[in-house]
């Protein structure tokens, strides 16, 4: 029911998306492994996914900004 849906939304409104939480904390996101894989496969199959490509580009830009500003926190050993 609509009331049930609205109640669920109200109960969970403080939840944070993991990608947003990672960006805010300066951690690497899972973007390359999830959205990057989707975009790569779509390109391989010649399937247009403009919204996914735009989202990937924006998330890559945000991650790049975090790296350049020094707020990026490396969570894996340096290569």
């Amino acid at each position: 029911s609509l009331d049930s849906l609205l109640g669920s939304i109200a109960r969970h409104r403080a939840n944070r998306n993991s990608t947003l939480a990672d960006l805010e904390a300066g951690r690497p996101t899972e973007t390359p492994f999830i959205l990057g894989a989707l975009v790569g496969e779509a390109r391989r199959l010649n399937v247009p996914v403009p919204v996914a490509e735009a989202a990937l580009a924006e998330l890559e830009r945000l991650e790049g900004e975090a790296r350049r500003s020094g707020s990026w926190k490396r969570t894996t050993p340096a290569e």
Side-chain angles (χ1 to χ4, degrees), residues 45-79:
L45 297 171
N46 294 316
V47 175
V49 288
V51 173
E53 288 175 335
L56 179 60
E58 180 63 9
L59 287 166
E60 288 173 340
R61 184 190 68 76
L62 290 170
E63 287 187 11
E65 264 183 29
R67 281 189 196 100
R68 285 187 297 281
S69 73
S71 66
W72 192 261
K73 298 174 185 162
R74 182 177 277 287
T75 59
T76 58
E79 296 175 355

Side-chain angles (χ1 to χ4, degrees), residues 14-67:
N15 289 5
R16 307 293 288 171
N17 171 284
S18 66
T19 300
L20 177 58
D22 288 340
L23 286 170
E24 290 176 339
R27 294 185 300 261
T29 70
E30 67 275 10
T31 299
F33 306 104
I34 299 173
L35 194 53
L38 178 139
V39 169
E41 185 67 5
R43 287 178 180 157
R44 187 182 74 76
L45 297 171
N46 294 316
V47 175
V49 288
V51 173
E53 288 175 335
L56 179 60
E58 180 63 9
L59 287 166
E60 288 173 340
R61 184 190 68 76
L62 290 170
E63 287 187 11
E65 264 183 29
R67 281 189 196 100

